[in-house]
């Protein structure tokens, strides 16, 4: 029986590193097969997951020997941290390992949505040649507003600053003397919404942040502003966003995270035929490079808990 169970995709070199030290079961299909997963947990001392495996009381009860849960990412809303703590199970996120990937995603989608032309390849292929309507806007001299100003948001801010943007940020938890404020104005959430050409969300999903971006918040934004959510599904009221985009009350949006994940055809129906919307499958923080960094970081941390040899 396995000492280490890995339920979602992980860099195979990192898996091999774990397998050299401990009996390791790597099966990315386990996330969709809870019966099989529960059966494998009886002997496991380590569980490694991404964002889809729900590490709750039921699952924890199936793993009486669990000592550590490694999270291949940073968000912990799929892990009952309090329940883990009560069982003396260490929870280890891959803090910092995918910051760069998310930051590049935000800047890329901001450029894409401001410029607009990248979303209309079909028009060009059909011979429409719509040059005037595809001119779009530049990123430089625009204002980006960051809701939450943690490490990922600060990576975004630095890149936006280097590209000539003005930076606003709202984060009531970041100390006023933090070096990050040297390139960003510390403002209220209302100011971020009202003054920004691009609004990027960087906050965890909590009771306080659920539907933080609702119809009222969207109506406070500039009518040509861009909204990007690569943080957590549920922060944005998706129905309200779809209505704002359909009504021309927003310049565009990019969603990498959703209230229902994986996004079903039924849940995605509200987004149908929206030409100024980019949808991606919770992939902002996952690149070839970040997958290696995240995987090896978690492998190292798990081995620190279990020891390098079985």
């Amino acid at each position: 029986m396995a000492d280490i169970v890995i339920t979602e995709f992980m860099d195979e070199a990192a898996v091999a590193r774990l397998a050299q030290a401990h009996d390791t079961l790597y099966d990315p299909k386990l996330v969709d097969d809870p019966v099989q997963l529960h059966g494998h947990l009886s002997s496991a001392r380590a569980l490694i997951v991404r964002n889809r495996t729900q590490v709750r009381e039921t699952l924890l009860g199936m793993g009486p020997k669990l000592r550590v849960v490694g999270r291949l990412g940073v968000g912990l809303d799929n892990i009952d941290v309090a329940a883990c703590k009560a069982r003396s199970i260490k929870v280890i996120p891959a803090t910092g390992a995918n910051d760069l990937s998310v930051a590049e995603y935000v800047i890329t989608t901001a450029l894409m949505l401001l410029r607009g032309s990248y979303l209309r390849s079909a028009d060009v292929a059909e011979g429409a040649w719509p040059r005037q309507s595809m001119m779009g806007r530049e990123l430089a001299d625009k204002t980006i507003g960051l809701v939450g100003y943690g490490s990922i948001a600060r990576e975004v801010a630095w890149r936006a600053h280097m590209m000539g943007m003005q930076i606003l940020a709202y984060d009531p938890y970041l100390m006023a003397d933090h070096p990050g404020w040297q390139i960003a104005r510390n403002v209220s959430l209302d100011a971020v919404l009202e003054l920004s050409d691009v609004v990027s969300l960087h906050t965890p999903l909590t009771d306080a942040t659920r539907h933080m971006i609702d119809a009222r918040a969207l109506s406070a934004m500039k009518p040509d502003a861009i909204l990007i959510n690569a943080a957590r599904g549920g922060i944005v009221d998706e129905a309200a966003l779809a209505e704002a985009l359909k009504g021309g009350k927003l310049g565009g949006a990019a969603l990498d995270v959703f209230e229902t994940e994986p996004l079903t055809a039924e849940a995605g129906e509200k987004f149908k035929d929206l030409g100024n919307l980019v949808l991606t499958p919770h992939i902002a923080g996952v690149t070839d490079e970040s997958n290696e960094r995240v995987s090896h970081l978690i492998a190292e941390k798990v081995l620190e808990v279990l020891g390098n040899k079985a």
Side-chain angles (χ1 to χ4, degrees):
M1 299 292 284
D3 275 336
I4 302 172
V5 174
I6 306 166
T7 66
E8 299 179 64
F9 71 90
M10 186 175 185
D11 179 71
E12 294 199 3
V15 175
R17 180 179 174 188
L18 291 168
Q20 286 178 351
H22 298 275
D23 188 0
T24 298
L25 173 65
Y26 173 48
D27 184 355
K29 299 187 294 296
L30 281 176
V31 63
D32 295 313
D33 192 343
V35 174
Q36 286 290 326
L37 172 55
H38 291 171
H40 288 301
L41 286 177
S42 61
S43 65
R45 295 188 295 150
L47 174 66
I48 297 177
V49 304
R50 283 190 181 269
N51 63 293
R52 290 184 56 216
T53 306
Q54 298 300 307
V55 184
R56 310 295 183 194
E57 279 283 2
T58 300
L59 184 146
L60 292 170
M62 300 291 178
K65 298 181 180 180
L66 279 175
R67 294 176 54 195
V68 58
V69 174
R71 166 71 167 93
L72 297 164
V74 293
L76 297 177
D77 45 295
N78 62 310
I79 299 175
D80 188 334
V81 177
C84 288
K85 184 177 180 180
R87 296 170 181 265
S88 299
I89 298 170
K90 190 170 186 178
V91 176
I92 304 175
T95 304
N98 64 357
D99 290 5
L100 174 59
S101 299
V102 180
E104 288 191 355
Y105 175 96
V106 171
I107 295 297
T108 299
T109 50
L111 284 163
M112 182 185 298
L113 288 163
L114 284 169
R115 195 65 185 259
S117 54
Y118 303 105
L119 303 176
R120 297 182 60 186
S121 295
D123 292 346
V124 177
E126 290 170 0
W129 210 245
R131 293 184 72 201
Q132 190 167 351
S133 64
M134 287 175 64
M135 286 191 298
R137 295 174 285 166
E138 295 176 351
L139 195 75
D141 293 325
K142 299 296 186 296
T143 296
I144 186 168
L146 304 167
V147 179
Y149 199 40
S151 61
I152 293 175
R154 294 194 294 272
E155 289 282 356
V156 173
W158 176 247
R159 283 157 180 77
H161 173 71
M162 294 298 290
M163 297 182 77
M165 298 192 82
Q166 306 301 312
I167 319 296
L168 304 178
Y170 164 70
D171 193 326
Y173 304 105
L174 190 66
M175 298 297 290
D177 59 354
H178 191 282
W181 294 118
Q182 293 177 10
I183 61 169
R185 284 175 53 201
N186 187 351
V187 300
S188 67
L189 176 60
D190 286 344
V192 165
L193 297 174
E194 293 169 9
L195 301 176
S196 300
D197 301 293
V198 177
V199 174
S200 184
L201 307 179
H202 298 275
T203 181
L205 179 64
T206 65
D207 290 342
T209 63
R210 186 175 297 277
H211 283 190
M212 170 187 283
I213 306 302
D214 56 9
R216 184 206 65 79
L218 292 166
S219 68
M221 294 173 62
K222 295 180 179 181
D224 60 354
I226 303 300
L227 176 69
I228 301 171
N229 185 13
R232 283 290 175 268
I235 297 171
V236 175
D237 181 335
E238 294 174 2
L241 174 63
E243 286 303 312
L245 291 169
K246 288 174 184 176
K249 298 176 182 178
L250 208 61
L255 297 179
D256 183 57
V257 289
F258 303 90
E259 295 184 79
T260 300
E261 289 193 10
L263 186 68
T264 62
E266 181 181 8
E269 180 66 24
K270 65 178 78 73
F271 301 124
K272 189 175 180 180
D273 298 326
L274 288 173
N276 54 349
L277 176 65
V278 173
L279 302 178
T280 52
H282 205 142
I283 205 75
V286 185
T287 58
D288 290 342
E289 296 86 351
S290 74
N291 185 39
E292 289 186 13
R293 290 193 300 268
V294 164
S295 298
H296 284 277
L297 174 61
I298 292 303
E300 179 180 341
K301 296 296 185 182
V302 167
L303 289 175
E304 286 178 5
V305 174
L306 300 187
N308 282 304
K309 293 295 179 183

